Amino acid sequence: MQAKPGHPTQASSLSAELIAVLVAISDANPLAMTVEGGLALPSGPFEVGQRSLQSGLRAWVERSTGLSLGFLEQLYTFADGERGDGADSGRRISVSYLGLARAEPSAFPGAGWRGWYDYFPWEDRRAGPPMVLTAIEPGLRRWAAEARSPQAADTRWTRAAVAFGFDDRRWNEELTLQRYELLYEASLVPEAKPPERAMNGLGAPMFADHRRILATGIARLRAKIKYNPVVFELMPPVFTLLQLQRCVEAIAGLNLHKPNFRRLIEQQELVEETDEVVSETGGRPAKAFRFREAVKEERAVVGTKLPTARA
């Protein structure tokens, strides 16, 4: 029987996959929860009996990692037909979520926290521009030169230069996804085709589109900490201002100007002093602070805007 226009046949059936980008901070390192030995993000199909997409995701995360989630928001819906595992003839829609958690170990086989800069080594600039950029630049220049016309080649290179800060352009930490997508388009990462063009040293690969989804989560969080106090979801109940700064720097992949950062925190009245002190490694005990919960009621939108990074 011929299918009616607009109605999918069995061969073009749709399935929904729920994928979680779960982030934690440990020792000033940003971590992502992974499964399959680091090859994938926690995920599972949306089942008919599940009350909602979010409740379905929470169930899958707890089932595969043992974690109970707190903060969770929908990230993006991916439905690209040409990207994925190609395991079936149906169309798979990936609904991703961003969640924040504490870096508690998982006892589930194959599940564990892994540094997100293991997957995106070019994104961490806290020690200066990473060496991997010296390999990425010529690879992207070759890709640009392969364009069909000089104008197209110029367009390709301009995109690369803007995304990666080449040719003395400013580095924008929020362009995480655009940078990975350029490397994918240029076939420089192993997830792309043809895989034989992939370069070594461009981060650990992941299953299907999971590294792309992780890049989306990183970009969202880097933008979100500038207007929302969500960073405190990653902090212990009591912390020092240096610990808070190190957390923000870990997420942004940039070093921040210490006096400017502290001045901004004070101006926005995000924290309040406690009667405690915290002993920090290599230094004298420092004053301890906690997040002012009243901030959520006082302002609907508030954040930890990033001060100018050190040169």
Side-chain angles (χ1 to χ4, degrees), residues 237-293:
V238 173
F239 49 84
T240 68
L241 292 182
L242 181 59
Q243 289 172 334
L244 178 60
Q245 179 177 337
R246 292 289 182 261
C247 180
V248 176
E249 290 176 334
I251 294 169
L254 296 170
N255 288 326
L256 306 178
H257 189 270
K258 183 176 178 179
N260 287 353
F261 178 82
R262 298 197 172 193
R263 188 179 306 116
L264 194 61
I265 295 298
E266 292 172 359
Q267 290 173 350
Q268 297 185 69
E269 298 181 330
L270 294 173
V271 300
E272 59 188 6
E273 284 191 34
T274 70
D275 295 330
E276 303 176 49
V277 293
V278 176
S279 296
E280 297 181 321
T281 304
R284 62 185 181 181
K287 291 181 180 179
F289 294 80
R290 60 173 168 254
F291 174 59
R292 289 182 59 246
E293 290 291 338

Side-chain angles (χ1 to χ4, degrees), residues 46-59:
F46 178 60
E47 298 173 338
V48 175
Q50 293 172 336
R51 181 171 53 84
S52 66
L53 292 171
Q54 188 172 124
S55 63
L57 180 78
R58 288 180 183 275

Side-chain angles (χ1 to χ4, degrees), residues 9-307:
T9 63
Q10 184 176 2
S12 59
S13 60
L14 289 173
S15 63
E17 181 186 28
L18 307 176
I19 303 179
V21 177
L22 307 180
V23 176
I25 300 290
S26 178
D27 296 327
N29 289 313
L31 309 173
M33 173 55 68
T34 63
V35 296
E36 304 293 336
L39 292 175
L41 299 170
S43 64
F46 178 60
E47 298 173 338
V48 175
Q50 293 172 336
R51 181 171 53 84
S52 66
L53 292 171
Q54 188 172 124
S55 63
L57 180 78
R58 288 180 183 275
W60 271 113
V61 168
E62 189 164 354
R63 195 180 308 175
S64 60
T65 69
L67 293 178
S68 296
L69 297 181
F71 173 89
L72 188 68
E73 70 174 24
Q74 190 166 333
L75 184 59
Y76 198 77
T77 299
F78 298 86
D80 293 7
E82 73 276 11
R83 295 175 68 157
D85 60 357
D88 53 55
S89 59
R91 187 70 175 270
R92 175 177 296 175
I93 297 176
S94 298
V95 184
S96 60
Y97 282 80
L98 173 65
L100 305 181
R102 301 287 165 78
E104 299 174 357
S106 174
F108 285 61
W113 295 102
R114 185 161 180 176
W116 73 28
Y117 296 129
D118 290 350
Y119 299 99
F120 307 99
W122 55 88
E123 291 293 333
D124 188 2
R125 299 174 66 90
R126 288 175 292 177
M131 288 297 297
V132 69
L133 290 176
T134 61
I136 289 175
E137 182 173 0
L140 289 175
R141 285 191 181 277
R142 287 193 299 271
W143 167 71
E146 294 168 357
R148 295 182 177 180
S149 68
Q151 293 80 6
D154 287 343
T155 298
R156 281 187 175 188
W157 177 246
T158 298
R159 289 172 56 206
V162 169
F164 282 92
F166 297 141
D167 295 343
D168 296 323
R169 287 175 168 83
R170 185 182 70 85
W171 176 268
N172 184 341
E173 71 277 2
E174 294 182 30
L175 299 183
T176 310
L177 177 61
Q178 288 90 327
R179 285 186 279 271
Y180 175 74
E181 291 285 61
L182 273 168
L183 297 175
Y184 185 100
E185 190 175 342
S187 297
L188 298 181
V189 290
E191 294 94 333
K193 297 178 178 61
E196 57 269 16
R197 293 193 59 176
M199 299 174 59
N200 294 324
L202 297 193
M206 299 187 85
F207 171 76
D209 246 8
H210 285 214
R211 190 149 60 136
R212 180 193 192 194
I213 295 170
L214 178 56
T216 305
I218 293 172
R220 169 72 66 84
L221 187 56
R222 284 179 167 182
K224 197 173 186 67
I225 61 174
K226 297 180 181 180
Y227 64 86
N228 190 292
V230 69
V231 67
F232 293 99
E233 298 282 348
L234 298 168
M235 299 297 298
V238 173
F239 49 84
T240 68
L241 292 182
L242 181 59
Q243 289 172 334
L244 178 60
Q245 179 177 337
R246 292 289 182 261
C247 180
V248 176
E249 290 176 334
I251 294 169
L254 296 170
N255 288 326
L256 306 178
H257 189 270
K258 183 176 178 179
N260 287 353
F261 178 82
R262 298 197 172 193
R263 188 179 306 116
L264 194 61
I265 295 298
E266 292 172 359
Q267 290 173 350
Q268 297 185 69
E269 298 181 330
L270 294 173
V271 300
E272 59 188 6
E273 284 191 34
T274 70
D275 295 330
E276 303 176 49
V277 293
V278 176
S279 296
E280 297 181 321
T281 304
R284 62 185 181 181
K287 291 181 180 179
F289 294 80
R290 60 173 168 254
F291 174 59
R292 289 182 59 246
E293 290 291 338
V295 166
K296 296 179 181 177
E297 300 177 4
E298 294 169 357
R299 286 171 282 179
V301 178
V302 67
T304 54
K305 298 177 184 177
L306 300 183

